[in-house]
Amino acid sequence: MSFSSTNDNSDNMIGFYKRACDIFVPEAEQVHIWDFSGQTTQFLNDRINLPNGSMGQSAEEILLELQVHGFSDSKNGRDESIDGMIEYDRKDISFDSGSVKMNGSSDYVISRSTPKNLSVSGCRYRRARFLGLTGLQNLGNTCFMNSAIQCLAHTPKIVDYFVGDYRKEINRENPLGMNGELALAFGDLLRKLWAPGASPVAPRMFKLKLAKFAPQFSGYNQHDSQEFLAFLLDGLHEDLNHVKCKPYIEVKDADSRSDKEVADEYWQNHLARNDSIIVDLFQGQYRSTLVCPICKKKSVTFDPFMYLSLPLPSTTMRTMTLTMLSSDGTTLPCPITVSVPNCGRLKDLIEALSTACSLRNDESLLVVEIYKNKIFRFLEEPSDSLALIRDDDKLVAYRLPKVTEASPLVVFMHELLDKPSELEKSVPNWKLFGIPLVARLSDHSNGSDFRNQYLKLLSPFLMPDDTLNDDDSGVTANEDSAMEDVPSINVSDGNADSDSETDNGPLFSNDFQFCIKDYHGRVTEIEMNKPLLAPSYNNRLEVHVLWSEKMVEKYDTCILSSLPEVFKPQLCTRRPQESVSLYKCLEAFLKEEPLGPDDMWYCPSCKRPRQASKKLDLWRLPEILVVHLKRFSYSRIIKNKLETYVDFPVEDFDLSTYMSHKDSHLCNRYTLYAISNHYGGMGGGHYTAFVDHGHCRWYEFDDENVSPVSEDRIKTSAAYVLFYKRVS
C-alpha cells in the first residue's frame, strides 16, 4: 500500500496509519508497518517525529507494508501473518527493530523496522498475496454481475473512494436514487473484496438490493453485463449525487455562438444537476448533429455519455444464397448466390442481387423469408441488419414490375388435400406446400384475373406430356374458359370433409379452386366472373389455391418446392475468424448515418417528422473510458451474437485524432486496465474478467477463481466491455 504525502504536516502520517487500520484491520490483534522509504518514523502520543530536514522536502511517496495478525489463512486453515501489498526478498536485507506502545495501550503494537541496505528502486520484489485478488461466488447465473463488479472494484479512484468515508456523501433525498442503499451495498462489497486474507465473497446482500430496485435482475437468469453496469453506474451516481435539489435549466439556442461556448454551457448545465464521483470519472461529452434531408435544417446538441457503445464493422464478406422468382411466367425459380458484408444491411443485399440478376430499371426486388410454405416476414427496411438473417433461413427474391402503390400485392399459397392412410381415422384436410407465388394486380380484380395470373406464374412448371395431342394439351393460361363450369369443392370451412369426396377424389378433381381465408379461419370462395369483395391487408392479399389431383400430375411440384438455405456449410470447412481494429469500430460509431424509420426527428423548420442524418463527434473524454462492443443484436424475431475478434490497444489507445475539440490541458491517450469477457452464444454463455493489478500483472477473475494470466492472452474474441484510464 502506498501513500503520497507532503511532509509539511506531520499529522498526515498519523492520519494515514489510522485510515489503514480503519479500512483493513479494524479487528486485528497486531499491526506492523514497515517503512520502505528508509526513514525512521516513530508514533508517540499521536505525533510523528520525522527525520531531520524532512519538513522542507517536496512531496514524495511513502511505501509501507502492513502485516496483520489475527486473521485465519483460508488456504491452510492456520493463523499466520498476511502480507498486505508487497513483500521484499528478505535474504539480502537485515533489520534494526524496535517496538513502542500507542497511548500506553497494548492493543496495537507497532514494530518499526528499517532495512539497512534496502532502496525502493533497487529492491527485488516478489509476489505475495496481494490485496484485491478476491473472487466472487456465483449465486446462480450471476457471472454477468461478478465480471462487471470486478472491473469496477479495480478502478483505482473507485477503490480509494469507497474504502474511504463515502457515507457522508450519500444523498438519501434524491427521488431518482435508491435511498443510498445501492451505494452502501456496493461499498460494503468492495471493502470485503479488498480485505486482507479474504476468501471468496458471496454477494448476496448486494444482489438483494439490486433486485429490490431493478426487478429485471431478480431471480437467477443470465443477463447482459453491460446492461447491469449501466444500471449500477447510474444508480451509484444518483445515490451519491451532491445536488440535493436539481434546478430547472432552459436550454438556450446556439444562435451564432461558437461550438466551444455552447458545449461549455451544456456541460455546466449538466454539472449543475449531476455532481458525483461517477460523473467525475466516467462521464464525457459528444456533439450530436442532425440534418433534415429536405430543408437541410441543422440541429447541434452536446450530450453527456457514460460509455461508448461501438458497432463492429465487417471486414469480411458473407455468402448468401436466395431463390429468384420472376412474375412474368417465363423462367423457373433459380438459386442465386451473392457476397455481402458480414455486418451489412438489407440495402447491400438488394444491390448485390440487382447486379447479379441484371435487374431492369422498370423492375424492383421483393425479398421475403419463407417458413412452413408461407411468407414469414417481408424484408423491406433497407437499414435492417443482415446479421438478423441466419444461415438456415430460406429467402426468396421476387422480380416485380415497378407499379403505383395502388396496385395490391397478391400472394398465391398452394394447398394439397392430405388424405389419411387406411389405418388412420382422421378427416382429410388441406395443407400448404411449395413456394408462394407473388404478383401485382389492379384494385378491382375479379376471379378470372386471379386465375389467369396464377396460371401464368405456373406455366414454367408445366410438365411435358407426349401422350397428349395438340388438341388435348391440357389447361394453359389461354385456355381457361372450359374450366368455368367445373363443379367446385365446398369451402365453407378450412377442411374438406368426407362428404365432398368420391371414389376418384374431390368433386372438383379437374382444376384449381381459389379462396380467401380470414384471421378467424373462415373461407370465402373466389368466383370467376364476379369482382373480389375481400379487403386487402397492408395493401397485400393472400389467396389460397386448392390443387386437384389432376393439377398435381400436370405440374412439376418438386421444382416448386425446391428452396435452398441461405448458407449450407461444407464438410470439414470452417469460416475464417473475422478481425477488426478498435479504431475501425470507433470510426463506424462516428460515421454519419440516417436515422431509422422508428426514430424520426421532428424538424422544427418542416414542422413534421423527418428521417434525418445523424453525426456524432467526441468532444470531451472522461478520466475512465468504458468501451462497449456491440456484439449482440436483438429484434422481435431473432437474437444474434458477433464473434468478431477486435484488436484493441493495451498500452496506448490514442484518441487525439478523433477529437472535435482540442484541450491542451487534458491527455487523450488511454491505457487498458480491465476487460469484461463473454464466452458462448445468446441466452447463456459465461462471463469472466481480466484485470491489470499493477505493473502489467494481469489476473483472470472467473467467479470465485482468481489466477494470473499473461498479457498476450487477454486479447480474445470474447472481449465485451473494455475499461481504459487516462494516461497521466
Side-chain angles (χ1 to χ4, degrees):
M1 175 175 60
S2 64
F3 296 103
S4 295
S5 169
T6 58
N7 291 330
D8 295 338
N9 187 352
S10 61
D11 289 339
N12 285 343
M13 289 298 289
I14 283 288
F16 292 152
Y17 168 73
K18 287 185 174 181
R19 182 180 174 196
C21 291
D22 177 63
I23 293 172
F24 297 114
V25 289
E27 299 176 358
E29 295 179 357
Q30 194 175 44
V31 179
H32 293 281
I33 295 183
W34 288 337
D35 182 356
F36 276 68
S37 66
Q39 303 177 24
T40 301
T41 303
Q42 296 179 353
F43 294 85
L44 294 173
N45 298 323
D46 285 352
R47 301 294 298 173
I48 296 180
N49 296 324
L50 297 174
N52 293 333
S54 63
M55 295 293 290
Q57 294 177 356
S58 60
E60 63 182 23
E61 188 175 75
I62 306 300
L63 297 180
L64 304 176
E65 176 176 321
L66 267 68
Q67 269 201 351
V68 184
H69 297 268
F71 285 95
S72 175
D73 187 352
S74 60
K75 289 188 176 182
N76 51 30
R78 59 187 177 88
D79 292 342
E80 62 179 25
S81 63
I82 300 177
D83 296 335
M85 288 298 291
I86 51 178
E87 181 183 22
Y88 49 79
D89 195 343
R90 291 182 174 83
K91 66 182 181 181
D92 296 327
I93 301 173
S94 59
F95 296 91
D96 289 333
S97 301
S99 62
V100 296
K101 294 182 179 181
M102 291 188 63
N103 298 327
S105 171
S106 59
D107 292 339
Y108 291 91
V109 178
I110 304 171
S111 175
R112 172 177 51 80
S113 302
T114 306
K116 289 183 177 180
N117 55 344
L118 173 65
S119 65
V120 175
S121 60
C123 178
R124 292 186 296 163
Y125 297 98
R126 64 183 176 85
R127 174 182 175 275
R129 229 169 312 149
F130 294 95
L131 293 176
L133 297 182
T134 306
L136 285 166
Q137 293 181 11
N138 193 321
L139 305 179
N141 280 331
T142 57
C143 57
F144 74 94
M145 183 180 74
N146 295 348
S147 173
I149 288 177
Q150 292 290 7
C151 293
L152 282 184
H154 289 83
T155 301
K157 290 191 176 181
I158 288 292
V159 177
D160 187 63
Y161 180 84
F162 278 98
V163 299
D165 189 12
Y166 72 95
R167 293 177 177 84
K168 63 183 179 182
E169 298 192 8
I170 290 180
N171 185 348
R172 300 181 185 275
E173 304 172 8
N174 189 354
L176 299 179
M178 302 164 196
N179 301 321
E181 294 184 37
L182 184 66
L184 288 171
F186 179 78
D188 181 66
L189 178 60
L190 190 143
R191 285 175 174 237
K192 291 179 179 178
L193 291 176
W194 281 90
S199 58
V201 177
R204 291 189 179 89
M205 184 56 64
F206 176 82
K207 189 176 185 303
L208 286 175
K209 296 296 183 182
L210 177 70
K212 175 181 178 181
F213 297 103
Q216 65 269 30
F217 296 115
S218 62
Y220 298 95
N221 294 325
Q222 183 67 279
H223 294 280
D224 191 311
S225 68
Q226 189 273 332
E227 292 180 0
F228 162 75
L229 177 67
F231 173 83
L232 178 58
L233 289 177
D234 186 66
L236 291 177
H237 157 64
E238 296 295 353
D239 271 0
L240 301 169
N241 196 350
H242 296 157
V243 180
K244 302 295 183 180
C245 181
K246 296 187 177 184
Y248 171 76
I249 302 176
E250 186 174 354
V251 179
K252 300 178 182 179
D253 293 333
D255 296 328
S256 58
R257 293 183 295 168
S258 65
D259 280 355
K260 182 181 184 306
E261 183 180 356
V262 177
D264 289 344
E265 181 181 275
Y266 268 85
W267 187 248
Q268 292 305 318
N269 292 343
H270 176 66
L271 295 183
R273 296 169 55 85
N274 303 276
D275 182 15
S276 70
I277 182 68
I278 303 300
V279 173
D280 295 342
L281 293 180
F282 292 93
Q283 288 199 352
Q285 187 182 33
Y286 59 76
R287 179 178 63 189
S288 175
T289 305
L290 292 172
V291 180
C292 177
I294 307 301
C295 69
K296 305 304 178 184
K297 169 70 176 178
K298 180 186 293 186
S299 172
V300 180
T301 57
F302 293 86
D303 304 313
F305 67 85
M306 190 86 75
Y307 47 85
L308 295 179
S309 290
L310 304 186
L312 303 186
S314 177
T315 58
T316 61
M317 304 299 285
R318 177 186 183 186
T319 299
M320 300 182 69
T321 300
L322 296 85
T323 299
M324 182 72 68
L325 276 173
S326 64
S327 61
D328 57 6
T330 59
T331 58
L332 287 169
C334 64
I336 183 169
T337 301
V338 295
S339 295
V340 295
N342 197 31
C343 296
R345 304 289 178 178
L346 179 62
K347 62 181 180 181
D348 300 317
L349 177 60
I350 297 295
E351 291 174 0
L353 288 172
S354 301
T355 302
C357 71
S358 301
L359 193 71
R360 301 193 308 267
N361 293 332
D362 61 343
E363 291 181 312
S364 64
L365 286 178
L366 174 64
V367 180
V368 302
E369 179 184 347
I370 305 297
Y371 180 69
K372 292 187 176 180
N373 304 109
K374 59 183 177 181
I375 295 179
F376 180 66
R377 60 171 171 154
F378 291 83
L379 307 179
E380 297 178 298
E381 178 52 52
S383 60
D384 281 351
S385 173
L386 294 181
L388 300 177
I389 301 176
R390 299 171 296 187
D391 287 347
D392 56 352
D393 288 342
K394 296 180 179 181
L395 302 185
V396 172
Y398 297 98
R399 296 181 65 160
L400 299 171
K402 287 184 178 179
V403 294
T404 62
E405 296 181 358
S407 299
L409 188 72
V410 181
V411 179
F412 293 101
M413 304 169 66
H414 328 287
E415 294 192 26
L416 279 173
L417 188 63
D418 184 20
K419 293 182 178 181
S421 64
E422 295 181 356
L423 298 178
E424 295 176 331
K425 297 181 180 180
S426 58
V427 177
N429 58 14
W430 295 88
K431 67 176 183 179
L432 294 171
F433 76 97
I435 309 169
L437 301 179
V438 173
R440 289 197 180 274
L441 293 177
S442 60
D443 288 338
H444 304 286
S445 301
N446 58 31
S448 298
D449 294 326
F450 283 98
R451 186 172 185 278
N452 291 339
Q453 181 63 48
Y454 184 68
L455 292 176
K456 180 180 179 181
L457 295 175
L458 275 183
S459 58
F461 302 93
L462 196 62
M463 293 280 287
D465 192 349
D466 297 335
T467 62
L468 300 176
N469 55 39
D470 295 339
D471 295 333
D472 188 21
S473 58
V475 179
T476 66
N478 298 322
E479 298 176 347
D480 55 67
S481 59
M483 293 297 174
E484 295 179 2
D485 297 328
V486 175
S488 61
I489 190 172
N490 180 8
V491 288
S492 59
D493 56 22
N495 300 326
D497 55 37
S498 57
D499 295 336
S500 64
E501 293 192 37
T502 65
D503 294 338
N504 296 324
L507 294 176
F508 79 108
S509 58
N510 293 322
D511 198 12
F512 300 108
Q513 180 70 38
F514 298 84
C515 62
I516 295 176
K517 298 182 180 180
D518 61 18
Y519 292 126
H520 301 288
R522 293 189 294 265
V523 180
T524 303
E525 180 184 354
I526 298 177
E527 299 185 28
M528 290 297 99
N529 295 319
K530 294 183 180 180
L532 181 67
L533 300 178
S536 61
Y537 299 96
N538 296 325
N539 211 28
R540 297 171 185 149
L541 181 63
E542 290 186 355
V543 176
H544 292 252
V545 185
L546 311 183
W547 284 52
S548 66
E549 293 182 357
K550 182 176 181 180
M551 294 300 103
V552 173
E553 297 175 357
K554 187 178 182 64
Y555 293 93
D556 192 339
T557 56
C558 293
I559 298 179
L560 187 61
S561 300
S562 178
L563 197 58
E565 295 180 353
V566 167
F567 178 80
K568 193 71 174 179
Q570 303 296 323
L571 295 177
C572 302
T573 62
R574 296 183 61 186
R575 295 184 178 182
Q577 185 183 39
E578 185 180 6
S579 176
V580 65
S581 166
L582 183 60
Y583 290 105
K584 291 295 183 182
C585 298
L586 181 61
E587 291 168 5
F589 173 74
L590 301 177
K591 181 182 178 182
E592 182 177 355
E593 287 187 343
L595 296 175
D598 297 330
D599 191 22
M600 305 284 274
W601 173 59
Y602 184 84
C603 176
S605 179
C606 298
K607 305 297 183 183
R608 62 182 301 178
R610 296 293 189 190
Q611 193 172 358
S613 60
K614 184 175 184 179
K615 175 73 169 67
L616 295 177
D617 297 289
L618 298 179
W619 189 266
R620 187 191 311 267
L621 292 178
E623 183 172 343
I624 302 297
L625 180 62
V626 180
V627 179
H628 164 226
L629 302 176
K630 298 174 69 174
R631 295 194 177 276
F632 303 109
S633 57
Y634 303 89
S635 73
R636 291 175 296 177
I637 302 173
I638 191 175
K639 298 179 181 180
N640 186 49
K641 181 190 176 185
L642 299 177
E643 298 288 352
T644 305
Y645 173 82
V646 178
D647 186 10
F648 49 85
V650 176
E651 296 292 336
D652 187 12
F653 184 29
D654 192 355
L655 298 174
S656 302
T657 58
Y658 297 94
M659 296 298 296
S660 296
H661 171 59
K662 308 296 182 182
D663 189 344
S664 58
H665 301 289
L666 291 177
C667 177
N668 295 317
R669 293 171 49 243
Y670 290 81
T671 182
L672 185 73
Y673 73 91
I675 309 171
S676 176
N677 303 301
H678 179 269
Y679 299 91
M682 293 292 301
H686 183 60
Y687 286 94
T688 67
F690 291 139
V691 170
D692 180 8
H693 204 62
H695 306 289
C696 299
R697 292 189 298 264
W698 287 85
Y699 288 84
E700 181 178 19
F701 289 78
D702 185 356
D703 290 331
E704 62 184 53
N705 301 311
V706 181
S707 58
V709 61
S710 59
E711 185 176 326
D712 57 359
R713 292 181 55 197
I714 65 174
K715 288 188 178 183
T716 69
S717 59
Y720 183 43
V721 184
L722 309 174
F723 292 76
Y724 285 92
K725 58 184 176 180
R726 177 179 278 125
V727 176
S728 57

